[in-house]
């Protein structure tokens, strides 16, 4: 069984959004095209309370993209984004969700960020995604979406560490930083994950 994880394809992460990933909207047609090639399609959704500590606006005197320490972890301070119940938090209207069997929300605890679709950044709390995939008999996990160097990378990394054969679909993801994405891909491969192109999946 192979599963496709659609990571955070939300309005705030595409051009015009609060934390826009360059060309983030350009991968949506490809994500739609990929879905029929998979036994299972699951989506993740950043779902922050307004008081989230990852927002620069909740730290007096701090600027967006500054780094601080939060409960012993390095934390990038982001613009307010994907606030629960706002249009920015909604999945993009062009994303085909007809095949999406479940949506896992993350980043709901105001005290800690959650890049990965599996765990928060401190690995204190699971989203339940691991058990869900295992319960469906999934052995291979393919990860794509936004942003390649953050939520896609951390989701893929956790998938590897949970024992899934893991593939990051490079051309179906977009990063905030190309340099950061390059480093993330190298790290993922070092851990035993794979980086693939969508063409290798669409031709099968």
């Amino acid at each position: 069984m192979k599963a496709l994880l659609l990571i955070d394809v939300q309005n705030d992460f595409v051009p015009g959004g609060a934390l826009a990933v360059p060309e983030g909207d350009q991968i949506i047609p490809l994500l739609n095209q990929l879905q029929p090639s998979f036994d299972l399609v699951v989506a993740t959704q950043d779902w922050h309370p307004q008081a989230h500590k990852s927002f620069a606006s909740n730290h007096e005197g701090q600027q967006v993209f500054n780094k601080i320490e939060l409960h012993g972890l390095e934390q990038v301070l982001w613009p307010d984004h994907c606030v629960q119940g706002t249009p920015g938090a909604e999945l993009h209207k062009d994303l085909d969700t007809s095949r999406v069997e479940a949506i896992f929300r993350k980043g709901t605890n105001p005290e800690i960020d959650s890049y990965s679709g599996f765990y928060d950044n401190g690995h204190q709390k699971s989203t339940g995604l691991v058990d869900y995939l295992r319960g469906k008999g999934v052995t291979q996990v393919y990860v794509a979406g936004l942003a390649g160097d953050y939520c896609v990378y951390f989701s893929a990394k956790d998938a590897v560490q949970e024992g899934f054969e893991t593939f990051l679909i490079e051309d179906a993801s977009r990063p905030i930083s190309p340099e950061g994405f390059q480093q993330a891909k190298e790290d993922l491969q070092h851990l035993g994950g794979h980086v693939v192109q969508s063409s290798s999946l669409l031709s099968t």
Side-chain angles (χ1 to χ4, degrees), residues 42-60:
V42 175
T44 67
Q45 191 175 20
D46 236 9
W47 195 250
H48 294 309
Q50 185 65 62
H52 204 275
K53 297 277 179 70
S54 73
F55 295 168
S57 62
N58 291 321
H59 299 270
E60 197 174 339

Side-chain angles (χ1 to χ4, degrees), residues 62-155:
Q62 292 283 357
Q63 301 294 314
V64 168
F65 303 124
N66 281 1
K67 290 181 181 176
I68 63 165
E69 190 174 292
L70 187 62
H71 305 301
L73 296 170
E74 183 181 87
Q75 176 65 54
V76 177
L77 294 179
W78 303 107
D80 292 21
H81 66 280
C82 299
V83 174
Q84 297 172 359
T86 64
E90 291 172 10
L91 295 175
H92 195 283
K93 64 176 175 49
D94 294 338
L95 181 70
D96 179 8
T97 56
S98 61
R99 293 175 184 271
V100 174
E101 286 197 27
I103 297 169
F104 285 81
R105 288 176 166 169
K106 60 194 183 66
T108 56
N109 179 349
E111 294 299 320
I112 191 163
D113 217 349
S114 189
Y115 296 150
S116 167
F118 291 92
Y119 295 97
D120 63 58
N121 289 0
H123 273 233
Q124 295 163 5
K125 188 183 168 198
S126 162
T127 61
L129 179 54
V130 172
D131 292 336
Y132 180 82
L133 294 175
R134 288 203 178 117
K136 294 278 187 180
V138 170
T139 53
Q140 293 184 328
V141 170
Y142 289 76
V143 189
L146 304 170
D149 46 345
Y150 280 94
C151 298
V152 173
Y153 161 59
F154 279 90
S155 298

Side-chain angles (χ1 to χ4, degrees), residues 149-168:
D149 46 345
Y150 280 94
C151 298
V152 173
Y153 161 59
F154 279 90
S155 298
K157 193 169 153 178
D158 278 348
V160 169
Q161 289 167 344
E162 286 296 335
F164 296 105
E165 191 179 2
T166 305
F167 303 83
L168 189 160

Side-chain angles (χ1 to χ4, degrees), residues 153 157 160-161 182-195:
Y153 161 59
K157 193 169 153 178
V160 169
Q161 289 167 344
Q182 185 58 39
Q183 195 176 343
K185 288 181 292 189
E186 288 171 9
D187 184 51
L188 187 65
Q189 288 171 310
H190 178 70
L191 293 169
H194 310 276
V195 177

